[in-house]
Amino acid sequence: MGMKATVNLLAVALALVLGFHLAGTSSEAARASLDPDENLVRTAESTGSFGTLVAAVRAAGLTEALSGEGPFTLFAPTDQAFARLPEGTVETLLRPENRDRLRDLLLQHVIAGRLSAEAVTGIEEVTTLAGGRLAVNVDEDGGVMVGGAEVVQVDLQASNGIIHAIDSVILPE
């Protein structure tokens, strides 16, 4: 899938989720003050917790798309989440011949629109840019699970979206 197809996929996914309740505009001024170069990829890279994810985004050819205008919500598996996959899985996914499979896996973690932690807790399901649906569950202590992954850090602001760190990789069905 070329970059044009990826951009088209992103546009289609955005159209699919227009009905979702997006985060309010109370933090619009804060987002407007963000450096436009501090997009999702650069923000993930600068935290030091998402090195494997950033390498995978580059290997999948998604850097430009996830650095684009957005807005997007990225449920970002931490390095520890990738380390929990069976031995050899990451290396296999990073091979050029598995680029499409890796792209599908990564797009399973991206939602069109900027969903704050508060907005995420108010919905039951999200549709990913890969076309999958992820259940959102909030436990009585306020913990949030998205697609079976626990959200461990929220609301990392980027110029073109928001990142929520998760403790496991969400695998496509």
Side-chain angles (χ1 to χ4, degrees):
M1 181 184 307
M3 184 54 61
K4 186 174 182 179
T6 300
V7 171
N8 287 341
L9 176 64
L10 295 174
V12 168
L14 178 60
L16 290 173
V17 297
L18 284 177
F20 279 151
H21 170 71
L22 298 178
T25 57
S26 61
S27 58
E28 288 293 327
R31 287 195 299 274
S33 68
L34 289 171
D35 180 345
D37 290 333
E38 291 304 312
N39 57 58
L40 289 171
V41 177
R42 296 277 305 268
T43 300
E45 188 173 45
S46 70
T47 67
S49 300
F50 306 108
T52 306
L53 175 65
V54 172
V57 165
R58 288 187 176 129
L62 290 173
T63 305
E64 187 176 326
L66 293 178
S67 299
E69 188 175 324
F72 305 109
T73 299
L74 173 60
F75 292 101
T78 62
D79 290 336
Q80 294 84 0
F82 278 101
R84 288 188 191 104
L85 291 172
E87 188 173 332
T89 301
V90 173
E91 293 78 10
T92 299
L93 286 169
L94 292 176
R95 291 184 188 143
E97 64 267 21
N98 293 322
R99 186 176 182 166
D100 289 341
R101 188 171 155 208
L102 178 60
R103 183 177 288 126
D104 289 343
L105 174 98
L106 294 173
L107 291 176
Q108 189 69 19
H109 293 80
V110 184
I111 310 300
R114 183 186 297 262
L115 297 173
S116 68
E118 181 180 350
V120 170
T121 62
I123 55 180
E124 295 179 4
E125 182 179 85
V126 293
T127 301
T128 71
L129 294 188
R133 292 175 183 239
L134 304 176
V136 176
N137 299 300
V138 181
D139 66 27
E140 48 193 55
D141 296 328
V144 177
M145 301 286 286
V146 176
E150 182 178 357
V151 177
V152 295
Q153 186 177 9
V154 298
D155 294 342
L156 298 169
Q157 298 292 330
S159 61
N160 65 337
I162 194 165
I163 299 172
H164 304 296
I166 55 176
D167 72 343
S168 59
V169 177
I170 301 169
L171 301 173
E173 293 180 10

